[in-house]
Amino acid sequence: IPEQALDRDCMTLSRHVLQQLHSFGAEAQDLSAIMNRIALAAKLIARRLTRAGLVAGALGFTGEMNVQGESVKKMDVYANDVFISVFKQSGLVCRLASEEMENLYYIPENCPIGRYTLLYDPIDGSSNVDININVGSIFAIRQQEGLDEDGTASDLLQNNGRNQIAAGYVLYGPSTMLVYSIGTGVHAFTLDPSLGEFILSSENIRLPDHGSIYSVNEGNFWQWEEPLRDYIRYVHRHEGYTARYGGALVGDIHRILFQGGVFLYPGTVKKPEGKLRLLYESAPLAYLIEQAGGRASTGTQEILDVVPEALHARSPLIIGSKDDVALVESFIQDRA
Ligand code: AHG
Ligand code: MN
Ligand code: MN
Ligand code: MN
């Protein structure tokens, strides 16, 4: 095969991380190893999803309720357990914070040498899992501050999203893609199942300052505050907008990353904080979108400046092209 095809197939995720971090020294090795573990988790989850319809017990509900008050899917549990198994063997990650676990999961053999905490949403968009529509996984990596002897992970609740040292997501779609940033731009890798490797497919992804897409669940219109309704009335009345909403945050954000536009999950009158969770949904994606030249806001504050009051704290999310985020904010702030 042509030389450039061979060179392309050699740009694997772990190689790329090392290349990005040449000036980071020891942390580069750690992050490369952690990203490699995330890639392994992604491959294990992708394998299960691809055959889920054929594997007895892979789909459907467990019958349990999680700390979010959601009915848990079997795939949520499987994916959550994959990350635990993969990171137990990592030696580097001491604590796991997951949507599906009420408390932090400590890996004693990795603590306190393991200086890292992994925050993750094992399956994002689980309402799509039984109908073979794309789902994702979302992750963020932080360095542990202090020894956390009392097991309250207070360092996680004293810092904002700028404390993240890496973030990204896996999109389980027609192809399985892993998109990440370690602060040196946003890069996308496509899984080559015949190699079992994530190969670089897009480097330094930048989203346009404006895009035609707005992505929101308009079924919630009747619950929103008036400024959000005014924004939706605006895009309904102006040419040049198109609605896209997939029900899985990762898929909707991936579209915005590549095509521009804005995704919104606003708060409602009854739940001003909205639905999406800060530590393993909004903050990792805000980190990524800012690295790609976009913005992420609660409507009145940058997502990355928000300090969570609790592990599963929620936040309203307006994220995407900076001009589109600013337009939504203008409706909110005119009214404030
Ligand atoms: P999760 O499946 O991890 O609980 O996340 C679901 C989230 C997010 O993926 C998506 O954007 C949003 O829920 C969809 O919520 P609605 O069904 O209320 O639109
Ligand atoms: Mn959920
Ligand atoms: Mn989610
Ligand atoms: Mn989830």
Side-chain angles (χ1 to χ4, degrees):
I1 55 174
E3 191 181 333
Q4 67 272 26
L6 264 182
D7 290 348
R8 178 204 60 210
D9 285 352
C10 294
M11 185 44 82
T12 61
L13 175 63
S14 42
R15 175 87 215 107
H16 192 265
V17 173
L18 284 173
Q19 210 175 41
Q20 294 295 316
L21 291 170
H22 51 80
S23 57
F24 279 49
E27 191 180 68
Q29 305 290 342
D30 289 351
L31 278 176
S32 178
I34 292 171
M35 288 306 297
N36 230 9
R37 293 269 100 188
I38 289 173
L40 174 59
K43 287 186 268 188
L44 287 164
I45 294 165
R47 182 179 65 174
R48 180 89 165 186
L49 283 168
T50 313
R51 298 173 33 76
L54 304 174
V55 175
L59 293 174
F61 291 91
T62 62
E64 303 296 319
M65 193 76 82
N66 65 10
V67 67
Q68 321 287 343
E70 300 166 344
S71 299
V72 178
K73 289 280 181 76
K74 291 176 184 166
M75 203 57 220
D76 286 320
V77 173
Y78 177 82
N80 189 59
D81 292 349
V82 162
F83 276 91
I84 292 173
S85 303
V86 161
F87 278 92
K88 262 185 188 163
Q89 300 170 16
S90 71
L92 290 163
V93 170
C94 164
R95 300 179 304 185
L96 301 176
S98 163
E99 178 203 354
E100 301 304 334
M101 297 191 285
E102 182 163 4
N103 302 306
L104 271 158
Y105 183 100
Y106 288 81
I107 306 175
E109 58 270 34
N110 293 352
C111 301
I113 311 106
R115 298 185 291 117
Y116 299 95
T117 302
L118 178 80
L119 302 100
Y120 67 106
D121 177 357
I123 291 289
D124 172 66
S126 28
S127 61
N128 285 355
V129 133
D130 293 350
I131 50 166
N132 193 30
I133 304 289
N134 68 269
V135 293
S137 300
I138 307 171
F139 62 87
I141 301 165
R142 296 181 186 227
Q143 279 192 332
Q144 179 169 329
E145 290 178 8
L147 293 176
D148 188 11
E149 274 136 342
D150 59 3
T152 58
S154 53
D155 58 311
L156 282 185
L157 306 181
Q158 284 156 4
N159 283 293
N160 62 25
R162 300 190 193 285
N163 195 248
Q164 296 173 112
I165 56 173
Y169 59 79
V170 184
L171 174 58
Y172 307 101
S175 62
T176 298
M177 289 187 76
L178 190 152
V179 179
Y180 89 105
S181 176
I182 43 180
T184 59
V186 177
H187 316 290
F189 292 74
T190 298
L191 179 62
D192 179 336
S194 65
L195 279 177
E197 286 284 0
F198 280 97
I199 304 295
L200 180 68
S201 44
S202 302
E203 200 165 30
N204 296 314
I205 304 162
R206 303 289 293 174
L207 75 167
D209 290 349
H210 165 65
S212 62
I213 290 161
Y214 72 100
S215 184
V216 66
N217 181 344
E218 300 203 28
N220 297 329
F221 185 89
W222 61 280
Q223 301 180 64
W224 293 333
E225 308 269 3
E226 208 50 33
L228 258 300
R229 294 181 176 182
D230 288 342
Y231 168 72
I232 295 298
R233 291 181 186 113
Y234 175 92
V235 294
H236 284 174
R237 291 176 188 144
H238 286 73
E239 205 182 329
Y241 286 95
T242 189
R244 288 284 185 277
Y245 193 74
L249 179 58
V250 166
D252 289 328
I253 296 295
H254 191 71
R255 183 188 295 111
I256 299 280
L257 178 65
F258 279 84
Q259 298 176 350
V262 62
F263 172 95
L264 310 90
Y265 205 106
T268 62
V269 173
K270 276 195 213 134
K271 289 187 184 168
E273 74 283 1
K275 169 181 184 182
L276 299 177
R277 285 58 53 118
L278 182 70
L279 281 175
Y280 40 79
E281 288 178 313
S282 307
L285 296 174
Y287 178 93
L288 215 56
I289 289 293
E290 280 203 7
Q291 280 286 316
R295 283 194 54 218
S297 161
T298 63
T300 54
Q301 190 182 6
E302 299 299 311
I303 290 286
L304 290 183
D305 291 335
V306 179
V307 177
E309 306 88 47
L311 195 58
H312 300 290
R314 298 169 192 256
S315 75
L317 179 62
I318 302 159
I319 183 170
S321 294
K322 58 182 172 183
D323 295 353
D324 299 307
V325 172
L327 178 64
V328 179
E329 286 177 323
S330 68
F331 285 86
I332 296 169
Q333 284 155 18
D334 284 353
R335 290 301 194 77

